[in-house]
Amino acid sequence: MNLNQFKQFNTMGVINITPNSFSDPGYYLDDKTIKDSLVKFLKKPDLIFDFGFESTAPMNQAISAELERERFDIFFDQIEDVDFNFRFISFDTYRPQNFLYFKEQWSKRYSGCHYLFNDVSGVL
């Protein structure tokens, strides 16, 4: 699969690995819920996966870069047996260093992915 195969994407599958997300508070902190959702999402070839590890809801306090990476690492260990090769992966972070870390780790396990830096802060 490559970017030229798609004229448009129809769906973004959002998985927030946070206890305080405004859209799904704590929903994706459970292994079974994560895997069940990913199995459904993986059936859609035109889907972009968007993973977030810090809530951007305005009422929540920012977390440290280290905690954001820790949440990614826990999640990444949970999905070890899921095949994301040749998929479009978006990481929702406003920290370039964390985006690069997430992308590096992901690239070690999965081939042919395309990556998006989803900076909802508007800083970059």
Side-chain angles (χ1 to χ4, degrees), residues 31-97:
D31 284 7
K32 182 172 177 8
T33 304
I34 290 171
K35 287 189 180 175
D36 289 349
S37 296
L38 292 175
V39 166
K40 285 194 307 192
F41 287 158
L42 283 163
K43 292 178 183 176
K44 298 177 176 275
D46 61 345
L47 181 128
I48 298 174
F49 288 89
D50 182 67
F51 299 107
F53 306 98
E54 176 178 4
S55 175
T56 55
M59 69 288 235
N60 293 323
Q61 294 294 318
I63 64 171
S64 68
E66 293 78 20
L67 180 54
E68 186 180 31
R69 282 193 307 272
E70 181 182 314
R71 288 177 179 176
F72 168 84
D73 290 338
I74 291 168
F75 165 73
F76 202 57
D77 286 345
Q78 291 172 319
I79 62 162
E80 188 172 26
D81 58 343
V82 179
D83 181 5
F84 284 98
N85 291 307
F86 303 99
R87 298 305 295 235
F88 291 84
I89 308 298
S90 168
F91 294 115
D92 183 353
T93 182
Y94 54 88
R95 297 178 176 102
Q97 73 274 20

Side-chain angles (χ1 to χ4, degrees), residues 20-32:
N20 55 355
S21 171
F22 62 90
S23 62
D24 52 40
Y27 185 72
Y28 291 110
L29 297 179
D30 171 79
D31 284 7
K32 182 172 177 8

